[in-house]
Structures are given as structure tokens and as C-alpha cells.
Amino acid sequence: MQIAQNSVAAFHYTLTDDQGMVIDSSEGREPLTYLHGSGQIVAGLEKQMEGRTVGDKFNAEVTPEEGYGVRHAELMQEVPREAFQGVEDIQPGMQFQGRGPQGEINVTVTRVEADKVFIDGNHPLAGKTLHFAIEVTEVRAASEEELSHGHVHGAGGHHH
């Protein structure tokens, strides 16, 4: 069976950056399982999974536009230190959830000065080309329940 709209696929992956540094991997864990066509993985990878079958091993390169997006300068801001009330020691790399014009936004602290904190609301992988090494381990038809819920149930998927 080939991966197609409304099929369930499972795969092992290693994600690296342009320098070959590992960003994430399923090594030592269960494969990632998703409902194809439902937007549960980045669009560029989902396109390259289409038509694959169990046992396929391939490399996929995903551009920022089809991955986590391009970087947006307007999502990088300087905010007053007092905006972080209750947080004693703010350090670069810390992540917080804030409220933006479009609702909730996750931000990462990039720099801290005496009375200013610099934050970035871009996804940490925004602007990066993603390099995936993929091994497809399972392909099956999605159940009616999975289709109506919009996600995989059972092993490797969502449990109610």
C-alpha cells in the first residue's frame, strides 16, 4: 500500500540542519505515526511521503517555505524586564508563552540586558532548510474513527 490521502503512515526519521547537526531523531523511540493529508507534519515532508511504501528509505530536503516558514523580523522584539514578573533569573534560550495580536504565541529569549529582554516569536526552525533521513515502517488505511477525529488512534497515535 502506498502513502496517500487518509492513510496512516509511520516512519523513523533523523532531522539535521545544513551543517549535518542532528536536530531531532526517532532513534531509540517508536516511529512517528500520522494521518496523511491532515497537516500533522510539515507540508514539504508530507508531499515527499506521498506514494511511498513500507521499507522505503530516502532523504528529503524541505525548504523553509514548506517547513516552519521564513523568519519574520516583526516577531523579534525588545520588551521591558518587568513584563516577566515572577521570573527571577531570565536567561537566553528560555521559552515563554505570550499574547500577540493573533492570540497565544510562543517566544524564546535571545538576549537579556539590565532592564530589557529580547524575545523571538519565530519557530526555532523558521528560516532553516530541513534535511530528513526517512524510513517508512508502516502504511495502512485510516479507520473511520481516525478520519472523523482527524488523527491516528492506538499505538504511536492519540489515545482517548
Side-chain angles (χ1 to χ4, degrees), residues 126-148:
K128 296 185 186 299
T129 298
L130 308 173
H131 304 272
F132 288 94
I134 302 291
E135 179 183 358
V136 179
T137 60
E138 179 186 2
V139 181
R140 65 173 174 80
S143 69
E144 287 301 320
E145 184 179 41
E146 289 170 325
L147 291 173
S148 70

Side-chain angles (χ1 to χ4, degrees), residues 10-28:
F11 62 96
H12 278 292
Y13 67 93
T14 297
L15 170 61
T16 56
D17 62 15
D18 285 334
Q19 290 73 44
M21 296 293 297
V22 174
I23 297 169
D24 192 16
S25 176
S26 64
E27 188 175 327

Side-chain angles (χ1 to χ4, degrees), residues 7-8 11-12 19 24 26 29 38 45 53 57 59 75 81 85 88-89 104 109-110 114-115 125 134 152:
S7 62
V8 171
F11 62 96
H12 278 292
Q19 290 73 44
D24 192 16
S26 64
R29 301 188 317 231
S38 64
L45 180 57
T53 60
K57 292 182 180 182
N59 293 321
L75 293 177
R81 170 72 174 82
Q85 292 178 1
E88 295 299 316
D89 186 28
E104 301 261 325
V109 174
T110 58
D115 59 346
L125 296 177
I134 302 291
V152 178

Side-chain angles (χ1 to χ4, degrees), residues 26-86:
S26 64
E27 188 175 327
R29 301 188 317 231
E30 291 293 315
L32 179 65
T33 303
Y34 76 103
L35 177 61
H36 191 78
S38 64
Q40 295 173 343
I41 61 175
V42 294
L45 180 57
E46 190 166 56
K47 284 180 186 175
Q48 294 181 56
M49 295 291 284
E50 186 89 22
R52 304 290 181 161
T53 60
V54 171
D56 282 358
K57 292 182 180 182
F58 65 99
N59 293 321
E61 189 171 286
V62 177
T63 63
E65 294 80 6
E66 291 194 307
Y68 290 96
V70 296
R71 294 190 61 72
H72 294 284
E74 65 272 16
L75 293 177
M76 294 181 279
Q77 298 180 358
E78 172 186 318
V79 295
R81 170 72 174 82
E82 58 264 15
F84 294 87
Q85 292 178 1

Side-chain angles (χ1 to χ4, degrees), residues 93-97 107-109 124:
M94 292 176 98
Q95 295 184 327
F96 295 91
Q97 196 170 62
V107 299
T108 302
V109 174

